[in-house]
Amino acid sequence: MEVQCPITWTWRTLRRDPRRVEFFQGTLETTSEIETVRVFDTTLRDGEQSPRTSFSYEDKREIATVLDEMGTHVIEAGFPVNSEAEFEAVRDIASASETTTCGLARVVDKDVEAALDSGVDLVHVFVSTSDVQLQDSMHASREEATERAVESVRRVKEAGVECMFSPMDATRTEKAFLFEIIEAVSGEGVDWINIPDTCGVCTPTRMASLIGEIVDRTDARIDVHTHDDFGLASANALAGFEAGAAQAQVSVNGIGERAGNAAYEEVVMAVESLYGIDTGIDTTRITELSRIVEAASDIPVPQNKPVVGRNAFSHESGIHAAGVIENSDTFEPGVMTPEMVGASREFVLGKHTGTHSVRKRLSDAGYDPTDTQVREVTRRVKDYGAEKQRVTMETLERFAEEVGVDRVDEDEEEEVRA
Ligand code: MN
């Protein structure tokens, strides 16, 4: 079921419009590489397959609720045949969600039946297609794989349910066979072909050329599933969109098998901010969503993680902080602000701090320093930061008192306000 989420335009119309691609369009050859984008979230399926991660029933329901409220186009709720508990979680998420829910199934009867019984809107069947996986994981021939894929897709379509087919390890599959199996399931009326870069070996150029070839061989819509073994998962997902894929699979904080999947926050914000596409997703809840998944998965988000890391909108160095205090577009992307993702900007005090940050932090804390005092406090902050790395507000206030900085006179403050 398609859901139009009105929240995005609501917050945009209520706030000052954030800058869009026009901000830097003079540097672009085109701003229309992509027309529409759908986001398929697999945090609860591939994300949960992260080594040492297991979500509780409550965690799954909470993550699904937030994804649904944000307007995510598809939520892959799990692998129903996996266990009774998994089946119940998928079933309950499917019945509680407004958006499309998806359940995973191998090309075997019991998996397909469990997925259909769970009540999901979309059944995602997959089979290995690369020789290495067919021989040493699935122990099946190409003919068997094709036959079972066709039967599984046929069964899902006969049940009147939307179907996605994944030739697993597509990017290491001989092309002639990849096209053959795609054409075979397309003959059964499959709705989606997902191209998984299961082992993360694709590059953006190769992904674009592969998707370009597949688009011509099927009437199904194309989806891409990318892994981050070489740090290319989000880039490969965007290359998929540029080449005609309608949807990409992502996970919050990029969690998933090994180095993980394309990150929800990276793909959504790149599409919104760099391509100027309105996904319909309420991006202002991205930081909240990231923190929920961080806690539930017990996988800490690196400080320098794009979009959701603690440093994503933090500034320490003197030149950058001074520029950002004057106009945040100077040393931030401009087309992506902390407000857009529900985060806040921070001016960190430390070794690289300059006088502008110190003056701002002092005046925010109610001080009225002279220029000489700002310079003296800044010197102390830099010395202390070089040794201890972190300079807290308490330390800053201690320096201010040591240097003899006056507090803003309350009467004076009244006058200023009047
Ligand atoms: Mn995967």
Side-chain angles (χ1 to χ4, degrees):
M1 180 174 51
E2 289 266 354
V3 173
Q4 291 297 319
C5 175
I7 298 165
T8 303
W9 65 257
T10 309
W11 74 259
R12 282 211 180 108
T13 45
L14 289 175
R15 290 159 194 261
R16 185 177 67 84
D17 247 11
R19 287 190 191 276
R20 305 289 300 200
V21 178
E22 295 72 36
F23 183 46
F24 56 79
Q25 75 173 351
T27 62
L28 299 178
E29 280 183 29
T30 168
T31 55
S32 59
E33 299 102 328
I34 304 175
E35 280 168 19
T36 59
V37 159
R38 289 171 51 92
V39 175
F40 176 116
D41 182 90
T42 186
T43 306
L44 298 177
R45 202 278 298 165
D46 203 322
E48 201 196 21
Q49 288 173 219
S50 299
R52 292 175 289 276
T53 290
S54 168
F55 294 131
S56 68
Y57 175 87
E58 290 73 25
D59 291 338
K60 289 188 182 194
R61 291 297 303 271
E62 184 185 15
I63 293 165
T65 300
V66 177
L67 286 167
D68 188 25
E69 288 173 358
M70 288 172 69
T72 310
H73 304 89
V74 183
I75 298 173
E76 189 166 45
F79 198 168
V81 82
N82 181 274
S83 66
E84 194 61 31
E86 178 85 352
F87 179 87
E88 283 168 15
V90 174
R91 181 196 61 198
D92 294 351
I93 289 167
S95 73
S97 303
E98 291 279 316
T99 195
T100 301
T101 51
C102 174
L104 188 68
R106 292 168 298 180
V107 287
V108 295
D109 293 345
K110 63 176 181 175
D111 286 40
V112 174
E113 297 308 322
L116 289 170
D117 290 345
S118 72
V120 292
D121 309 292
L122 171 68
V123 173
H124 177 189
V125 295
F126 72 98
V127 68
S128 291
T129 50
S130 65
D131 289 335
V132 64
Q133 289 193 359
L134 281 170
Q135 283 160 22
D136 295 335
S137 166
M138 233 196 116
H139 309 291
S141 66
R142 289 179 172 185
E143 292 67 31
E144 284 171 274
T146 308
E147 202 174 300
R148 285 160 63 178
V150 165
E151 279 168 16
S152 299
V153 170
R154 185 182 299 154
R155 168 69 186 119
V156 175
K157 291 312 298 174
E158 275 171 4
V161 173
E162 202 178 347
C163 188
M164 170 180 280
F165 172 72
S166 288
M168 184 156 73
D169 208 12
T171 50
R172 298 192 305 179
T173 298
E174 189 206 31
K175 260 192 200 172
F177 177 56
L178 180 65
F179 297 154
E180 188 184 307
I181 197 165
I182 287 170
E183 283 163 11
V185 294
S186 298
E188 298 298 326
V190 74
D191 302 279
W192 288 93
I193 296 289
N194 170 48
I195 298 301
D197 182 28
T198 305
C199 294
V201 297
C202 208
T203 67
T205 305
R206 294 173 195 166
M207 177 62 85
S209 105
L210 181 61
I211 298 301
E213 286 182 271
I214 290 166
V215 166
D216 293 337
R217 288 175 161 82
T218 177
D219 291 332
R221 286 193 280 178
I222 310 297
D223 176 268
V224 291
H225 176 100
T226 55
H227 274 278
D228 215 25
D229 296 74
F230 291 90
L232 295 171
S234 294
N236 286 334
L238 296 170
F241 283 131
E242 289 194 10
Q247 185 169 277
Q249 302 196 355
V250 298
S251 69
V252 180
N253 300 337
I255 65 170
E257 297 272 6
R258 306 180 313 282
N261 291 84
Y264 184 108
E265 61 277 7
E266 293 175 11
V267 171
V268 170
M269 291 315 297
V271 160
E272 291 260 347
S273 296
L274 302 180
Y275 292 83
I277 305 293
D278 186 352
T279 58
I281 290 174
D282 177 9
T283 62
T284 65
R285 296 186 67 185
I286 281 181
T287 301
E288 173 197 352
L289 176 67
S290 165
R291 301 292 186 262
I292 291 169
V293 171
E294 179 180 38
S297 64
D298 205 22
I299 300 174
V301 172
Q303 289 192 33
N304 65 336
K305 179 95 172 62
V307 186
V308 293
R310 269 85 177 160
N311 286 357
F313 300 98
S314 293
H315 307 276
E316 181 179 310
S317 83
I319 292 170
H320 284 232
V324 169
I325 288 168
E326 198 168 321
N327 175 359
S328 62
D329 293 351
T330 51
F331 290 101
E332 286 180 9
V335 290
M336 176 172 71
T337 63
E339 293 78 19
M340 288 167 76
V341 298
S344 49
R345 183 173 292 116
E346 193 187 353
F347 295 99
V348 177
L349 299 173
K351 178 186 172 183
H352 308 99
T353 296
T355 53
H356 286 78
S357 282
V358 169
R359 183 188 302 283
K360 182 170 180 356
R361 295 296 291 267
L362 285 174
S363 76
D364 288 350
Y367 289 95
D368 181 24
T370 65
D371 290 352
T372 313
Q373 288 170 335
V374 168
R375 281 197 296 276
E376 181 50 29
V377 173
T378 303
R379 195 185 62 75
R380 289 175 188 228
V381 166
K382 290 167 81 81
D383 289 350
Y384 188 88
E387 213 176 298
K388 308 267 186 188
Q389 297 185 333
R390 272 163 204 266
V391 182
T392 63
M393 258 331 271
E394 289 75 54
T395 310
L396 182 73
E397 295 197 17
R398 179 159 59 79
F399 292 154
E401 300 300 334
E402 284 170 9
V403 170
V405 182
D406 287 334
R407 290 228 169 232
V408 177
D409 192 307
E410 280 187 15
D411 295 341
E412 208 177 290
E413 211 172 22
E414 289 294 308
E415 277 170 41
V416 173
R417 276 198 216 117

